[in-house]
Amino acid sequence: MDKSSLKELGRWLELNTITEVECVFPDMAGSTKGKILPVNRFIKCLEDQSLRIADSVFGQTVSGNWIDESAIIDYVEEDMIMIPDLTTLRKLPWNKEPTAQVICDLHNKSGEPSLIAPRQVLSKIIKLLKEDGYRAVVAPELEFYLCEKNLDPNLPLQTPIGKSGRKANEGDVFGIDAVNEFDALTDDIYDYCETLGIGVDTLVHESGPSQIEINLNHGDPLKLADQAFIFKRAVRQVALKHNIHATFMAKPHQGQPGSSMHIHQNLISIASGKNAFSDSSGKESEIFYNFIGGLQTYLPDAMVFFAPYVNSYRRFVIDASAPINTHWGFENRTVGLRVPLSSPESKRVENRIPGADTNPYLAIAASLACGYLGIKEKLEPEKPISGSGFERRHNIPKYLPDAIKRVKVSDNLAEVMGEDFITLYAEVKQTEHDAYQNVISAWERDHLLLNV
């Protein structure tokens, strides 16, 4: 880093009275990992690239356990270099001490980007598209539930009490008054997002009690993944400030709709600067159809990135607002791949499969990778449907073990996302599922204890 840039950075840190810097990155789950440094140490690590972390962090499960045996990580604790991306430097709005946060890229000792770091996996897909002359544009839509603080995981979640003194009822979809029950909280979310440079588009109340959806502005995939990554952390911090919890679990309530992270996506031709999904007459282009063909072909193989946990698959049941297959259609919200009505300049595909519990870097990377493969292989999609997608066959994996098997044998997906990464990610998911299998649930005690 040159002296003038360091000097400019020093002025920013001083102006904002920053005393500490959180150097963070997303792990496999999309959780925030990293190190907290005093300002002087942060400046020094920029000068000599001395900020390191063990690559075994990517062999850790969502519960904090480790893979017992790995074909990729040997636990000799080989260090990776954490290189802060200073375009992501922001002051944190929730810390009492003036603290900044910066997202880091992970590089190996030779200086090459890590092949197993989720942010670098997305960067790789962006690079592949760029080499073929395309710039991707995405816009995530994130849903989450507000709930009372849950201190006992054996107890179901409870809907929090709003400012009226009452709990939310079902059927408040798009209800303005339902959102206003927590307007002090949503105001804080907007304030936090502004401070963190997160572009918020719209806010609505969704179908579940105290379920909120917030859409992010469209833009560069890496920047939007960064924003979604930080957004989830910010929402949880705001909720804690208001003495409740916010959860991005895919299915936190029995009998209620799940929470999704729909991804709107399209490609821009770098040569012309125009939407590659529309031809010169404004109609759907061949690239548009190939992209959908790729999603239909490879999305079942990539399902573990869109539904990474046992709980994720509880969303995909008929009449629960989540799609159950990869059919596509124009302005059809019952299918996995929706094409919203729009101008030729805004023509895009909405992937409605991902849950809110995904790692945003990996969900966006996998979705773009499927479309990229469709373009490379010139895949033709099935015909669009206009009826209910719920009346068609369920053609995506129904359970986590099935999704793990699919991704392990998808050679084409491994080629674009990285063989080592796919292997390690599958190992993490298998370890998590094995841990789940050791848990005896309340349902089993309730129905099997005295009846079998």
Side-chain angles (χ1 to χ4, degrees):
M1 191 174 184
D2 60 68
K3 290 183 178 180
S4 61
S5 298
L6 277 174
K7 191 173 182 180
E8 183 180 348
L9 172 63
R11 282 197 295 267
W12 185 90
L13 294 168
E14 185 177 354
L15 179 65
N16 287 277
T17 64
I18 301 298
T19 59
E20 292 181 330
V21 180
E22 295 184 358
C23 297
V24 303
F25 60 89
D27 67 359
M28 290 298 194
S31 299
T32 308
K33 296 293 174 69
K35 296 185 176 183
I36 302 174
L37 309 177
V39 168
N40 291 341
R41 176 69 180 89
F42 173 67
I43 294 293
K44 185 177 186 302
C45 84
L46 292 175
E47 295 173 329
D48 59 13
Q49 293 191 349
S50 58
L51 186 58
R52 309 290 177 92
I53 199 158
D55 66 355
S56 59
V57 68
F58 293 117
Q60 192 174 29
T61 68
V62 70
S63 63
N65 295 322
W66 304 88
I67 303 171
D68 290 333
E69 294 183 8
S70 173
I72 306 303
I73 295 176
D74 59 12
Y75 295 100
V76 178
E77 300 295 307
E78 180 175 345
D79 281 347
M80 295 180 293
I81 304 170
M82 296 174 60
I83 301 181
D85 179 350
L86 294 181
T87 65
T88 68
L89 184 67
R90 299 288 187 276
K91 185 175 181 178
L92 290 179
W94 54 77
N95 278 31
K96 290 183 179 180
E97 280 291 316
T99 304
Q101 174 187 265
V102 65
I103 301 175
C104 297
D105 285 319
L106 283 300
H107 290 236
N108 58 33
K109 290 180 179 179
S110 65
E112 294 296 317
S114 169
L115 298 177
I116 58 175
R119 194 171 192 256
Q120 278 60 62
V121 172
L122 175 55
S123 294
K124 179 183 178 181
I125 304 300
I126 294 170
K127 182 180 179 182
L128 288 174
L129 286 166
K130 184 177 180 180
E131 289 172 352
D132 277 14
Y134 301 109
R135 175 173 59 84
V137 177
V138 303
E141 301 175 344
L142 287 126
E143 296 175 345
F144 58 93
Y145 275 91
L146 301 176
C147 59
E148 291 183 359
K149 279 189 173 181
N150 183 268
L151 305 181
D152 185 350
N154 290 308
L155 298 178
L157 300 182
Q158 298 295 320
T159 303
I161 295 173
K163 67 180 182 182
S164 68
R166 305 183 68 183
K167 293 186 177 183
N169 296 317
E170 298 180 33
D172 282 329
V173 60
F174 304 136
I176 297 299
D177 290 338
V179 173
N180 286 341
E181 284 286 299
F182 299 97
D183 54 6
L185 180 144
T186 55
D187 285 348
D188 281 344
I189 290 177
Y190 274 106
D191 289 344
Y192 279 26
C193 286
E194 183 176 0
T195 301
L196 294 166
I198 299 171
V200 173
D201 184 11
T202 56
L203 179 151
V204 299
H205 193 284
E206 269 297 336
S207 304
S210 299
Q211 186 188 29
I212 296 172
E213 175 183 284
I214 294 182
N215 303 337
L216 304 186
N217 292 325
H218 66 274
D220 173 77
L222 189 62
K223 290 182 180 178
L224 265 297
D226 286 341
Q227 290 185 30
F229 170 54
I230 300 306
F231 173 82
K232 294 171 80 168
R233 187 184 185 199
V235 168
R236 286 190 286 261
Q237 290 291 331
V238 169
L240 291 174
K241 176 182 175 182
H242 290 263
N243 202 35
I244 59 176
H245 280 163
T247 180
F248 291 87
M249 278 181 66
K251 189 78 168 181
H253 291 290
Q254 183 175 324
Q256 297 294 342
S259 292
S260 64
M261 188 186 79
H262 297 164
I263 303 172
H264 292 252
Q265 57 207 317
N266 68 286
L267 301 178
I268 303 297
S269 167
I270 295 174
S272 68
K274 295 181 179 179
N275 190 342
F277 283 0
S278 299
D279 62 19
S280 57
S281 66
K283 300 292 185 180
E284 291 77 29
S285 67
E286 182 180 358
I287 295 298
F288 167 84
Y289 288 113
N290 292 158
F291 194 91
I292 292 178
L295 283 166
Q296 287 192 311
T297 301
Y298 289 105
L299 193 150
D301 290 351
M303 189 68 182
V304 72
F305 300 114
F306 307 128
Y309 306 104
V310 171
N311 178 263
S312 308
Y313 295 83
R314 301 188 190 279
R315 280 181 59 228
F316 304 110
V317 293
I318 294 175
D319 298 329
S321 302
I324 60 172
N325 50 49
T326 59
H327 290 293
W328 75 282
F330 292 94
E331 205 53 71
N332 188 337
R333 285 180 166 82
T334 69
V335 296
L337 305 169
R338 167 179 169 254
V339 178
L341 294 179
S342 64
S343 66
E345 295 77 20
S346 300
K347 196 178 297 295
R348 61 195 184 275
V349 178
E350 178 190 16
N351 183 351
R352 297 174 61 81
I353 299 291
D357 57 347
T358 61
N359 179 328
Y361 296 93
L362 299 181
I364 293 172
S367 194
L368 292 175
C370 292
Y372 168 80
L373 286 169
I375 295 170
K376 297 296 287 185
E377 299 172 21
K378 299 188 182 301
L379 298 177
E380 292 295 327
E382 300 172 0
K383 291 182 179 180
I385 68 171
S386 56
S388 173
F390 296 121
E391 297 176 357
R392 306 297 180 100
R393 183 173 63 89
H394 192 134
N395 70 356
I396 55 178
K398 290 185 177 182
Y399 309 104
L400 180 59
D402 297 336
I404 295 171
K405 290 177 184 177
R406 289 289 296 257
V407 79
K408 286 170 69 175
V409 298
S410 182
D411 294 337
N412 290 351
L413 204 59
E415 184 176 351
V416 295
M417 296 188 74
E419 292 183 11
D420 285 354
F421 166 73
I422 293 288
T423 298
L424 181 58
Y425 189 79
E427 290 174 346
V428 170
K429 293 296 114 181
Q430 187 62 58
T431 302
E432 289 173 349
H433 185 263
D434 291 345
Y436 172 81
Q437 289 293 87
N438 287 325
V439 177
I440 308 302
S441 69
W443 185 94
E444 292 166 280
R445 289 189 291 271
D446 189 18
H447 297 286
L448 304 181
L449 183 67
L450 302 178
N451 293 331
V452 297

